[in-house]
Amino acid sequence: MAANHVIEHPTSTGLDNRKMAMWAFLASDCMFFGSLITVYLVSHGRAMVGPFPQEIFDIPFTSVSAFVLLMSSLSMVLALGGIQRGNVQRFRIWIATTAVLGCVFLGGQIYEFTEFHHAGLTLESSIFGSAFYVLTGFHGTHVFIGVIWLLSLLLASFKPGLVIREKSLNVEMAGLYWHFVDIVWIVIFTVVYLVEA
Amino acid sequence: MAAEHHVEEHHPGWQEYVRIGVILAVITAIEVAIVYVEALESVLLPLLLTLSVGKFVLVVMYFMHLKFDHKFFTWLFLSGLLLAVGVVLALMAMFGLMT
Amino acid sequence: MATQVRYVEDSTRIQEPEAGPSGLWSWLTTVDHKRIGVLYLVTALTFFAIGGIEALLLRVQLSQPNNAFVSAATYNQLFTMHGTTMIFLAVMPLSGAFFNLLTPLMIGARDVAFPRLNAFSYWVLLFGAILINFGWIYGGAPDAGWFAYANLTSPAYSPGMGVDYWVLGIQVLGISSVAASFNFFTTIVNMRAPGMSMMRLPVFIWMTLITQILIFMAFPALTVGATLLMFDRWFDTNFFIVEAGGMPLLWQHLFWVFGHPEVYILILPAMGIVSEVLQTFSRKPLFGYTAIVFAGIGIAVLGFSVWVHHMFTTGLGPVPNSIFAISTMLIALPTGVKIFNWIGTMWGGALWLSTAMLFSIGFVAMFIIGGLSGVMHASPPVDSQHQDTYFVVAHFHYVLFGGSIMGLFSGVYYWWPKFTGKLLHEGLGKVHFWLMLIGFNVTFFPMHWLGAIGMPRRIYSYGDGLNWEFWNMVTTMGSFIIGISFIFFIANVFITLVLGDRAPDDPWDAPTLEWATTSPPALHNFDTIPVVKSRMPLWTDKYPEVYGHESEPGEHGDPDLPDIQTDEVHDEIHLPNPSYWPLVLAIGIVMLFAGFIFTFVMSFIGLALMFISIWGWALEPAFGEADHA
């Protein structure tokens, strides 16, 4: 992940290596979630036993979750703005906010999964259950990894010289990942939840 | 080479970020609201997709800085994105979900 | 601007490179792209031998009707692991060896963009290879084909552990390939020497770049498919379970969305190698450089729109079949462009028929045959006749063996002196080539006929009187000729490493940058980073009267010469520090996956190791103090 020495290797394009690799990763991850979303879209309607999507989706609740994740993207850019201006205090406040919002989202997902489980929807119960849990579960795993990344940055900011203005790229990388996880949820929220309602 | 560095340096201020954040929140509210409006049922799908695409684009352009960054990143991301969309649409068509 | 640098005054010059650190620990912690390349090479050749032995066992079993040399169950394991091994553990890592060895040298860089990530990719590959083969000694090897079609792989039909190893191993190997692909993609885009504009990149580097994009775009579909299969097997999900509404056909789609680009992942690097070799040994510039580059891009783009041609007989209907038939036939265009350009390169050239050159010519000839039979089954009605017969086996061996393997061996002979400092013996090399070419055709050409008269693939035995006996026996004999040819190669390697002639820096009088440095190259590759002024930097310098005009600024649109003083910028050499974290992280990841088979405790330990090693990785300094060259 992060190289700590600030050695500026001049690159052919003038663009940073890590950022280049990160965007390639995100392009690749588009294919990952694209495939998973396809699996959900072509499979979920073939469930033979309930509960069916319309019966259990709780749109108001999920909307709040989606809103929380969107706002975490906002706090993420504010954290990045903080470190880019050399304001570590502001960085810490916003990165912590982002991590907390991420945790709230994850909590919401755990609550949702538990509710659905009580309603009889499990990984094994139907093809809808399988596709739903695997798609949203993988997204949740991405969020979880993101939260760990954010907390690591927060922790690292208390060690001198690790999270500083000159190394704001370390934060930017986490930000790109975090926003990507957010836009994936924008898609999932629409094609999985809203369209079904 | 080094001359291109300045492209990365431009970042919108926090006011702009907050403004985008508010717009995103409003779009989400609209999305949820129109789901409950019976009159819109026939156009609901395209409407929802359009609104989501709007949110998607705003986050990518402003929060992920693609609007201010080097065009190469945009092309790189777009190629993955379009490929994924193409595969999704082709498979949906072949599994009979488009008719 | 820097003054004219003559890289190689004399192509027989021999410089003694400085010796690097030695010992086992230095190899375990190495982040040097050349050493990692050697590790890839040794691993790939080892698995090439293993996959070859598996093939020979298959051929012994099929040499005569009603043979009982191996059981049906063993046969299934052998053909599954032959395909899996050759694709994921032989051809891809062999290409990977060349990516590693050559990319930084050819673009004039000191290393790849992420040296530690590079080491990580190798260790994950090695452990993934061991994991996927572990079934041979514990629990049974995978036996559902390299394509692992659902629902053959569901718990009901594959209750053993074989498919477990496959589905976990394939995900681990995917991590290795994708991690490496981000690395080489970034390296090629970002680490080029001054003046090395995109349209001056050697064709091998272009094909490498395209291959990396294919890898990171195509592998996610396989990862998703394998994940679903994993969930079906361990957590009772229903993705491919028909009774619960699951769709086995979905597996085929996901697999081939990956699988067809994978075909180009296997062939494009070989095409790049052949382009370099033909240019050097025809003693003239590659004919139609731009066309070859854009043909490669065209193949990559089209490669994502043809996957259904593997599924013409699954009943998708006339519309999908027609669309995918047309896009498949379109691929013949860029491929044909390349073939004509290779022939155009040789045309009128002063051909030097070295072993490397022979393998490249063999590649072009064999690939044409495989390409033509490929166009045949682009047509759905024809394909319906070929599907699941030996005709298809003949086709893909002509492109994968006659194509990829020939091309890769060409590269081995061409670049061997650069990285070992020893010349391979040309006489032994030519015996290797001719035996392999003859053995290959004796093995695979009769398969066209066997397929045409109806012999199906993946059968472990066949009855008397079907008229298949003769050609099966011929095929088996051919396969042993291939086996013998490989022994000549191995002998050549060991004999010349001990007794061989010392290789000069530039034994082939070649045009590309890697020949400007010592054989083997010093740890830091170049004392001063070269400034590139043409597509064939060494030829432009060695033969200014012939190729001097190539370096006219602006000739290729973007001269891209930087306004930096080379000696000022490259005065300091920062070499990446050795690190053991890539190894630890790779162990963690493999434990995470292997735990699914053995015990989940192992998975949790793996996760913990991953967490620790990522922290260790992030906190250690990546680059050492500056060395003054």
Side-chain angles (χ1 to χ4, degrees), chain C residues 32 149 206 312 339 388 465 496 508 587:
Chain C
D32 174 15
Y149 272 5
W206 258 110
F312 278 154
I339 288 172
D388 281 339
T496 54
W508 316 118
I587 292 173

Side-chain angles (χ1 to χ4, degrees), chain C residues 463-480:
Chain C
D464 240 334
L466 290 161
N467 226 356
W468 299 346
E469 300 89 339
F470 178 71
W471 289 120
N472 268 301
M473 180 52 93
V474 170
T475 289
T476 300
M477 293 193 305
S479 65
F480 276 88

Side-chain angles (χ1 to χ4, degrees), chain A residues 1-2 4-5 11-13 15 17-18 20-21 24-25 28 31-32 42 46 48 123-124 126-127 130 138 152, chain C residues 114 182 186 189-192 216-217 220 224 227 236-239 243 245 247 614-615 617-619 621 623:
Chain A
M1 218 164 290
N4 284 287
H5 255 71
T11 62
S12 318
T13 53
L15 303 170
N17 282 343
R18 283 186 289 154
M20 183 75 73
F25 166 74
S28 172
M31 274 300 282
F32 181 81
V42 301
R46 300 168 57 92
M48 292 174 182
L123 269 174
E124 313 91 89
S126 71
I127 184 81
S130 307
F138 263 97
S152 303
Chain C
F114 309 103
F182 296 137
T186 308
V189 173
N190 257 0
M191 309 277 284
R192 288 166 284 130
F216 70 68
M217 296 289 198
V224 167
T227 306
D236 299 321
T237 52
N238 307 304
F239 292 108
E243 305 87 272
M247 289 177 292
I614 290 174
W615 263 94
W617 184 317
L619 291 178
F623 289 91

Side-chain angles (χ1 to χ4, degrees), chain B residues 5 12 16 31 43 47 51-52 56 59 61 72 78 85 97:
Chain B
H5 261 295
E16 191 162 0
E31 280 182 328
V43 289
L47 214 56
L51 289 170
S52 297
F56 191 102
V59 173
M61 277 176 45
F72 187 83
L78 214 57
V85 171
L97 292 175

Side-chain angles (χ1 to χ4, degrees), chain A residues 1-5 7 9-22 24-29 31-33 35-36 38-39 42-43 46-48 122-128 130-132 134 138 148 151-153 155-156 159 162, chain C residues 113-114 116 178 182-183 185-193 216-218 220-221 223-224 227-228 231-232 235-240 242-247 250 254 257 304 560 569-570 574 611 614-615 617-625:
Chain A
M1 218 164 290
N4 284 287
H5 255 71
I7 295 172
H9 286 282
T11 62
S12 318
T13 53
L15 303 170
D16 184 82
N17 282 343
R18 283 186 289 154
K19 218 162 147 183
M20 183 75 73
M22 179 50 102
F25 166 74
L26 296 182
S28 172
D29 228 19
M31 274 300 282
F32 181 81
F33 277 107
S35 305
L36 269 181
T38 309
V39 169
V42 301
S43 298
R46 300 168 57 92
M48 292 174 182
T122 64
L123 269 174
E124 313 91 89
S125 68
S126 71
I127 184 81
F128 163 59
S130 307
F132 173 80
V134 168
F138 263 97
I148 293 178
L151 292 176
S152 303
L153 284 171
L155 207 61
K159 225 180 144 198
L162 285 183
Chain C
F114 309 103
R116 289 178 295 176
V178 172
F182 296 137
N183 204 347
F185 173 79
T186 308
T187 304
I188 295 172
V189 173
N190 257 0
M191 309 277 284
R192 288 166 284 130
F216 70 68
M217 296 289 198
T223 306
V224 167
T227 306
L228 303 186
F231 271 73
D232 269 10
F235 307 118
D236 299 321
T237 52
N238 307 304
F239 292 108
F240 307 121
V242 182
E243 305 87 272
M247 289 177 292
L250 185 59
L254 290 171
V257 164
F304 275 104
D560 204 23
V569 169
H570 302 290
H574 296 280
F611 190 75
I614 290 174
W615 263 94
W617 184 317
L619 291 178
E620 76 180 354
F623 289 91
E625 295 305 307

Side-chain angles (χ1 to χ4, degrees), chain C residues 197-218:
Chain C
S197 61
M198 291 306 280
M199 290 316 273
R200 280 182 188 159
L201 287 176
V203 170
F204 174 73
I205 297 298
W206 258 110
M207 295 307 125
T208 303
L209 177 65
I210 295 167
T211 305
Q212 309 315 318
I213 297 172
L214 285 175
I215 289 175
F216 70 68
M217 296 289 198

Side-chain angles (χ1 to χ4, degrees), chain C residues 289-469:
Chain C
Y289 171 95
T290 316
I292 288 190
V293 167
F294 280 95
I297 297 172
I299 288 175
V301 173
L302 283 172
F304 275 104
S305 63
V306 299
W307 78 86
V308 167
H309 71 216
H310 295 270
M311 305 164 60
F312 278 154
T313 56
T314 57
L316 292 171
V319 176
N321 280 5
S322 309
I323 293 173
F324 283 92
I326 292 168
S327 60
T328 303
M329 289 176 190
L330 279 179
I331 287 209
L333 295 178
T335 314
V337 165
K338 279 177 178 270
I339 288 172
F340 281 113
N341 280 307
W342 290 323
I343 295 172
T345 304
M346 288 186 278
W347 190 271
L351 301 191
W352 173 358
L353 294 177
S354 66
T355 307
M357 181 66 167
L358 290 176
F359 272 102
S360 277
I361 298 173
F363 167 97
V364 175
M366 296 303 106
F367 188 77
I368 289 175
I369 299 177
L372 287 176
S373 57
V375 181
M376 287 165 78
H377 33 250
S379 160
V382 177
D383 181 76
S384 317
Q385 298 299 313
H386 294 169
Q387 174 89 22
D388 281 339
T389 72
Y390 261 86
F391 194 90
V392 176
V393 181
H395 157 70
F396 68 69
H397 280 94
Y398 265 86
V399 286
L400 271 181
F401 194 128
S404 301
I405 296 285
M406 284 264 185
L408 289 163
F409 268 115
S410 179
V412 169
Y413 279 93
Y414 183 52
W415 282 297
W416 187 269
K418 176 49 61 188
F419 295 100
T420 59
K422 293 293 178 92
L423 285 164
L424 281 170
H425 190 267
E426 281 287 300
L428 282 173
K430 282 174 185 165
V431 174
H432 173 204
F433 167 75
W434 285 110
L435 278 181
M436 193 166 117
L437 185 75
I438 293 166
F440 166 75
N441 280 291
V442 172
T443 307
F444 295 106
F445 205 83
M447 287 187 183
H448 290 111
W449 297 322
L450 284 171
I453 59 173
M455 180 169 169
R457 300 167 67 177
R458 304 173 197 129
I459 48 165
Y460 85 104
S461 189
Y462 53 91
D464 240 334
L466 290 161
N467 226 356
W468 299 346
E469 300 89 339

